Amino acid sequence: MAGMPQRPPSVGFLLLVITTVGWGMNWPAMKVLLAELPPLTTRAIGGGLGFIVLLVVVLAQKQSLVVPRAIWGRLALISLLNVTAWMGLASFSLLWLSASEATIICYTMPVWAAVFAWIILGEKPSLARILALVLALSGLVYLVLGKGLDLGIAKLPGVALGLGSAVLFALGTVLTKRMPLGLPPSSSVAWQVGIGVAPLFIAAAVFDPFDFSHVSALGIGLLIYGGVFALGLCYLSWFAALKMLPASLASLGTVITPVVGVVGAALFLDEPFGFREILALTLVLSGVVLAVRG
């Protein structure tokens, strides 16, 4: 509205950078954590911390936490897809994959979202979206088989889990568009994280009883980072960035995040960052850009 002060775009850019760096660096952080804690425990504790942060913010913002009875089923389904499946499957994929490989595979989700938009929403795929799928699949094939068939086959369980997390998250995204929840943004995320983390807590208690006696100070710090910052505060900064920036610009976060993850894994975990990784990342991100722009 004329005469009203405009929020400086630099703030939106800063929030976008904070979000993408926070999410991207969580992949090498997770790889380090899995050397000290099993996947279910790692994700349950991190998700629980994130839920507490989000709940505190929702209460501070005085947003309503009331969920209409009619949408509880939708909320539970979307929470299972966007949180339980995404966090659980992505974490287990790291048992077979490097952090950079898992990041590239899991961030193919915009491409699968374009496929589900065609199936569920009837959005006929454009030539750009078809090309996006071809590029993303080419990148994945090269990423998996680029070091030889035998090594590629050994990584297949991780690839299947990573792709499963990406596909199910994409399905949750499209279903949210098909069946909007109608909740305030922070409240919606808090409920999804809370509901989505609950099965991980139950599974961890049954299969991976919590034992922190051998967790290092670094491990505790990374748990707090993943839960409080990457899952809690980064979601809030992401929504704030969406309010300040054009959607086309904010969607760059989808592209920047895996780059941060791959580079972070190379810098801090000494993972390879050669021709194979660069070409696979380029092909996949080219497909993601086409899918997002489409």
Side-chain angles (χ1 to χ4, degrees):
M1 182 177 285
M4 291 187 66
Q6 299 293 315
R7 295 180 214 183
S10 58
V11 176
F13 275 113
L14 178 61
L15 290 170
L16 182 61
V17 170
I18 290 172
T19 303
T20 53
V21 170
W23 284 344
M25 289 304 298
N26 198 41
W27 289 90
M30 279 292 303
K31 186 68 175 179
V32 173
L33 265 175
L34 290 178
E36 300 189 24
L37 286 170
L40 289 172
T41 298
T42 301
R43 279 315 211 180
I45 298 299
L49 290 173
F51 172 65
I52 293 171
V53 171
L54 291 167
L55 186 61
V56 168
V57 170
V58 170
L59 294 175
Q61 293 177 340
K62 297 182 179 179
Q63 287 191 11
S64 174
L65 283 166
V66 175
V67 178
R69 184 180 301 177
I71 70 168
W72 270 110
R74 273 179 280 163
L75 178 59
L77 174 61
I78 291 169
S79 301
L80 290 173
L81 294 171
N82 286 353
V83 179
T84 311
W86 167 254
M87 293 175 63
L89 296 180
S91 299
F92 275 101
S93 74
L94 285 165
L95 298 179
W96 287 269
L97 303 174
S98 67
S100 58
E101 291 169 337
T103 307
I104 294 171
I105 292 171
C106 290
Y107 270 86
T108 57
M109 51 193 174
V111 179
W112 309 118
V115 175
F116 283 121
W118 175 29
I119 298 172
I120 296 174
L121 304 179
E123 296 181 3
K124 187 176 180 180
S126 62
L127 180 60
R129 284 186 168 177
I130 295 173
L131 181 58
L133 181 60
V134 172
L135 285 170
L137 289 176
S138 300
L140 291 179
V141 170
Y142 186 71
L143 181 70
V144 176
L145 301 179
K147 287 189 174 181
L149 182 61
D150 290 343
L151 190 57
I153 291 175
K155 291 178 179 289
L156 282 181
V159 174
L161 290 165
L163 274 179
S165 70
V167 169
L168 291 176
F169 188 94
L171 176 59
T173 300
V174 174
L175 287 178
T176 303
K177 184 176 180 181
R178 180 74 173 83
M179 305 178 295
L181 295 174
L183 299 173
S186 298
S187 177
S188 177
V189 174
W191 272 116
Q192 287 182 53
V193 171
I195 294 172
V197 166
L200 299 178
F201 257 105
I202 296 171
V206 174
F207 300 106
D208 298 329
F210 299 169
D211 181 9
F212 292 95
S213 58
H214 301 294
V215 181
S216 65
L218 174 62
I220 297 295
L222 291 177
L223 265 179
I224 295 172
Y225 169 82
V228 174
F229 186 67
L231 186 57
L233 298 180
C234 282
Y235 265 112
L236 299 173
S237 64
W238 169 248
F239 282 118
L242 284 177
K243 292 180 180 179
M244 299 180 190
L245 299 173
S248 58
L249 185 58
S251 65
L252 285 174
T254 311
V255 179
I256 299 172
T257 298
V259 176
V260 172
V262 171
V263 173
L267 290 175
F268 297 104
L269 303 182
D270 201 26
E271 291 187 0
F273 187 54
F275 179 78
R276 167 177 166 267
E277 289 76 20
I278 293 173
L279 180 57
L281 183 64
T282 301
L283 288 170
V284 168
L285 293 188
S286 298
V288 169
V289 170
L290 285 174
V292 170
R293 290 180 64 84

